[in-house]
Every structure is written in structure tokens, then in C-alpha cells.
Amino acid sequence: MNPRLLPLLALFAVGVALVWLSPSDNFGAWSLAPALITIVVCFLTRNVLLALFFGVVSGGLIAGEYNLVRAYLVPSLGTESYAQILLVYLWALGGLLGLWSVNGGAQYFAQRVGDIAIRSRISAKVFAWFLGILFHQGGTISTVLAGTTVRPVSDKHKVSHEELAYIVDSTASPVATIIPLNVWPIYVAGLILIEPMRAWVPDEASAIQLFYSAIPFNFYAIFAVAMTLLLAVDRLPLFGTPMAKAIARVANTGELDDPDDSPLLDSELSDSEPVSGYDASLIDFFAPIGTLMAFCIVPLAQGGSPMVFEGFAAAVVVAVLVSVARGLEIGVAIDGFVSGVKSMTVGALVIALAVTLATVSSSLGTAEYVVSQTAGLFTAYPAALPGLLTVVSMFIAFSIGSAWGTYAVMFPLALPIAFTVSADPVYAAVCFGALLGGGVFGDNCSPISDTTILTSLACGADVMAHVRTQLPLAMIAALLSVICSTCVAFVVA
């Protein structure tokens, strides 16, 4: 028997036992099993699809829902959020990449930028870091924009895909919480405008102001962004971490990925050459990117929300029109679009199972269970409260793969405790920043997070290779953030 099958058979046996041992109504600690099984299988097999499947199946066994398709898969895939991810981030992104593969727009941009500003691996990585800051809408849009824009440049200068994915991922959501010119403050404000908070946060303006006041105390995001810059300039101590091995590999062999990895970006798309007879231009790259950015920035400037989904659709249309107007045959443009969409098949499957696992965890009450088990610690140690909030938020976000899902649970429960413990507004801001940072950590590092998956896809990396190389560095940022928030809370509590 193949030794690699033994852990899977053991997990299957555990799953069968869950049918007989799990409670019928109050799942308690059993609610953690699907997420934990998924994460364990991810690291054992390095196969995210298989791990997500095990997680979904184990959740169904625990809940007694044996018809997984009807109970979880159909409700998850029929949601508006999954439709947006599938149609916009995967198909529109894939179509745009496919168009660039035939008209050479991205390759031409990479060549021009390389000739003008990028002379080395360091400057390529700094460029990636700068784009992560520039595209600070947070989450999926930032990772998709930054990753797809810089990857041709970084590939040319032999930046490993693990390095690129870390820089892109750890500037996306973290930057969105410290440069909040986006929808994050509005979303969080809606979570804390509840009756128990009315005495301290009476209206939306007060809630948004609380978000802004917490920015200096969002230590995880600050350390995460700073560490990516240090990595970009080759000044981050790595001490034999998996990231150090990835850097050594690309230096010694020139391989952007480990030979055993399975990058999500199809090689047919990433290695394709533009069609002959078409002269690529900067407009082939900047017209669709500029369209997308306009749909995001203009509404923000007018006090509204970024039109991300409309922007992606318009960007694809503009890319086709510009290419055809400049001489590309319409049939070739459509074929490029279709080829790009097909290249996203694996990514679509991974996202589908990740969304389904989130539904499973929600139905089992995973996040609520974690909070109920730790609530006593929140009030017992005032100076330690921000650090505890960081750790609990990290655990929940890593387990469910969502920063916003973590915020939906943690902010309404934890902030009233913070205001009750201390009347000092700085203390409340520190606790607020701890919640923000903890949620972002899980969004960065969880192998079941849509941001993690889309970062890997956009940067051409293997999902688990990205997780393995980023997690130790993110843990350092998290540890530093816990120390800092604890020290500040000790002074003001």
C-alpha cells in the first residue's frame, strides 16, 4: 500500500466515527473538525481539492446531512457571492489573461517597464510591493490586479512565485485596513451599529471614525506590509524558513516553482506566445487596467463604493475592442478569451469547494463555538484582551478562510466587552485594531481562503507552496502584533 494513503485512510475512519459520535443538535468542539481536517490534509497531501472535499464530507457526516449536493453544494454555488467570484474574478480574469496571451499586451508592458525601471530581482519585487499598495481595495481585487500585472515582469527577473505571492497577498488585505479608501470601514461600521454599542457608537459616522482611530494600532497589518517590503529589498531575515528555500531554489536552478508543485495558472496560458503579425502596444495593457481602476476609483472619489464587478466586465470588453481596432482578428480575440476562461477550471473548482466548506462551518457554528469558549478570558485579563482578540480572530479566520466572516462574529461580541473593560478610547481603538489584524491574518494564510487561492492563481503559484512559505512569516508579524497591542493595553487599561 502507498504510505501516502495511510493518513487519508485514517481520516476516513475518523469521518465514519463522526457519524456515530457527533451530537445531533449542539455540535460544540465537533464544529472545528471540518476545518481542521481540511488543513491537515492540505499539509499532508499538498492537494487543496482533495483536502476541501474531505472537509465538506466530514462536515456533512457531523451534521447528519448525507446528501451533500442538496444540503451544501447547491446552496453555496447558488449564492450571489460565488456567482461574482466565478463570473468576474475567474472568467473575466481568465478571459483578460487569455486576450493578453494573444495580443502580447502584458508581455509588452513587462518588457517596457523592465527596460525603464526594473533592473534586478529587487526592483521587480519592489514594483510588486508598490502595486500592492496602489491597488489597496483589499482582498481579491488587489491580489488579482497586482499579481496579473507584475507577474510577467517578476518572471523575467527570476522572482520565485512563492515570493511574489507573499508580497501580493500580504499587501492586499493588510493595506486595505490601514489605507481604508475602500468599503472596509463601511462594512465594519454596519457590524458594530447594534443596540449594545449605541452608548459608545451612536451612528455610522462614529463607527467609521472608530475604524480610522484604530489604524495606528492595527499592528499585524503594519508589520505584514513592512515585512513584505523588507523581503522585496532582500533585507528580511529568513533563518532557513520555506521562503528561504524557495529563494535558494530559484537562485540555483532558475525554477520559479518547485518541480513537485502544481500551480493553479494553466501553463498553456502562462507560457503562451502572442500571435504573429500583431504589434503589441502599451494601450493593450493600460486600456483594460485603466478601465478597471476607473470603475473602482471614481465611485470612491464621489463617496460611493467601488464598482468592482462592472469594472472587470468592462475591462474585458475594452480589451477586445482595442485589440480588434488595432488589427487583431475578432476570431483570434474570442479564441484567446475562451482559452483564458478554460485555464481557470481548476481555480473555479477550488473556489467552489472553499465556498461550500464555509457554508458547512457556518451551519455547524464553528466561529460561535470558538467565541463562546474564550469569552471568559476576554474579561478576566484587561491588559491581555487585545492580544487575546488577535489570537481568537486569527484562529477563526484561519478555520473559516474569511476576514469579513470573522469580523461578522467577533466585532458585535468583543467590542462591547472592550468598552466595558475600559472607558479609555485608546483602549477601545487597540482592541479594534487587534480584531482587524487577526481577521486579516487568517485571510492571508488559510489554504481555504478565496484570497489565498486567487493570489496563488494570479501569481502562478501552487496554493500550498504559497501557504507554507507565507505562514511562518505571517506568524512572526502576528506575534509582534500581540506583543505591541498587549504593551499598549497595559499602559492605558
Side-chain angles (χ1 to χ4, degrees):
M1 178 182 295
N2 189 333
R4 293 185 177 182
L5 294 178
L6 293 178
L8 300 183
L9 292 175
L11 285 170
F12 179 76
V14 170
V16 173
L18 295 178
V19 178
W20 305 102
L21 298 177
S22 60
S24 58
D25 50 359
N26 183 16
F27 301 106
W30 289 104
S31 66
L32 299 173
L36 294 178
I37 288 174
T38 301
I39 292 166
V40 169
V41 176
C42 273
F43 283 99
L44 284 177
T45 67
R46 299 167 67 174
N47 189 313
V48 178
L49 272 173
L50 181 64
L52 289 168
F53 175 76
F54 266 96
V56 171
V57 170
S58 66
L61 292 174
I62 293 171
E65 296 285 357
Y66 308 125
N67 189 340
L68 298 176
V69 174
R70 183 173 297 276
Y72 297 120
L73 195 61
V74 172
S76 299
L77 303 191
T79 61
E80 180 181 355
S81 60
Y82 178 71
Q84 291 171 342
I85 291 174
L86 180 64
L87 295 174
V88 179
Y89 291 124
L90 295 179
W91 288 357
L93 168 63
L96 183 58
L97 291 176
L99 285 165
W100 279 338
S101 73
V102 296
N103 68 19
Q107 296 94 319
Y108 186 80
F109 166 77
Q111 180 181 351
R112 289 295 301 271
V113 170
D115 293 341
I116 296 172
I118 298 177
R119 305 295 182 186
S120 65
R121 291 181 70 256
I122 290 180
S123 54
K125 290 190 292 182
V126 170
F127 180 55
W129 184 85
F130 172 75
L131 288 182
I133 303 298
L134 179 64
F135 300 143
H136 57 266
Q137 300 308 309
T140 48
I141 180 176
S142 300
T143 58
V144 167
L145 279 173
T148 55
T149 300
V150 78
R151 191 178 56 80
V153 182
S154 63
D155 283 0
K156 177 181 177 181
H157 289 276
K158 298 299 180 183
V159 176
S160 71
H161 287 160
E162 294 95 332
E163 291 175 89
L164 179 61
Y166 169 62
I167 293 172
V168 168
D169 202 359
S170 281
T171 53
S173 297
V175 165
T177 59
I178 54 179
I179 308 179
L181 304 177
N182 46 53
V183 298
W184 288 61
I186 298 172
Y187 171 75
V188 174
L191 298 177
I192 62 178
L193 288 176
I194 55 178
E195 191 57 38
M197 292 287 296
R198 291 295 180 184
W200 304 288
V201 186
D203 51 39
E204 184 178 69
S206 302
I208 293 176
Q209 181 56 43
L210 180 58
F211 189 109
Y212 290 147
S213 69
I215 290 175
F217 306 109
N218 186 357
F219 295 113
Y220 173 78
I222 294 170
F223 283 121
V225 173
M227 287 175 65
T228 55
L229 178 59
L230 290 175
L231 180 80
V233 297
D234 285 345
R235 290 293 182 271
L236 183 65
L238 296 174
F239 303 114
T241 59
M243 185 66 77
K245 296 176 182 178
I247 294 173
R249 182 198 68 237
V250 76
N252 295 329
T253 68
E255 295 289 340
L256 300 178
D257 297 287
D258 189 279
D260 294 330
D261 288 344
S262 300
L264 285 183
L265 189 62
D266 194 286
S267 60
E268 177 185 349
L269 185 62
S270 59
D271 300 336
S272 61
E273 294 292 334
V275 298
S276 59
Y278 182 84
D279 294 326
S281 168
L282 286 177
I283 194 174
D284 291 310
F285 179 79
F286 280 112
I289 286 293
T291 300
L292 177 55
M293 291 303 297
F295 272 83
C296 294
I297 294 175
V298 173
L300 277 175
Q302 296 175 345
S305 300
M307 302 172 66
V308 177
F309 311 114
E310 296 85 349
F312 266 102
V316 173
V317 173
V318 167
V320 172
L321 293 177
V322 168
S323 298
V324 173
R326 298 191 64 249
L328 188 68
E329 294 183 11
I330 183 66
V332 174
I334 297 302
D335 287 344
F337 173 83
V338 172
S339 177
V341 170
K342 289 192 300 182
S343 73
M344 298 296 172
T345 301
V346 175
L349 290 173
V350 171
I351 290 289
L353 286 176
V355 171
T356 303
L357 182 61
T359 301
V360 171
S361 296
S362 177
S363 69
L364 296 177
T366 303
E368 290 81 358
Y369 170 75
V370 174
V371 172
S372 68
Q373 295 301 301
T374 55
L377 292 173
F378 291 165
T379 54
Y381 305 100
L385 178 58
L388 290 171
L389 292 178
T390 301
V391 173
V392 174
S393 295
M394 285 168 52
F395 183 76
I396 292 175
F398 193 82
S399 299
I400 67 176
S402 170
W404 281 22
T406 300
Y407 296 159
V409 174
M410 288 297 292
F411 271 108
L413 293 173
L415 269 190
I417 297 174
F419 277 101
T420 302
V421 168
S422 175
D424 192 311
V426 175
Y427 183 82
V430 173
C431 292
F432 196 104
L435 291 168
L436 285 175
V440 167
F441 169 89
D443 213 21
N444 282 167
C445 300
S446 176
I448 59 178
S449 164
D450 58 351
T451 306
T452 301
I453 296 166
L454 286 172
T455 297
S456 304
L457 190 151
C459 297
D462 177 272
V463 173
M464 288 311 299
H466 171 40
V467 172
R468 288 195 311 273
T469 51
Q470 176 168 257
L471 185 57
L473 304 180
M475 288 293 292
I476 294 173
L479 177 61
L480 293 174
S481 69
V482 169
I483 293 173
C484 290
S485 61
T486 302
C487 291
V488 175
F490 182 79
V491 173
V492 301

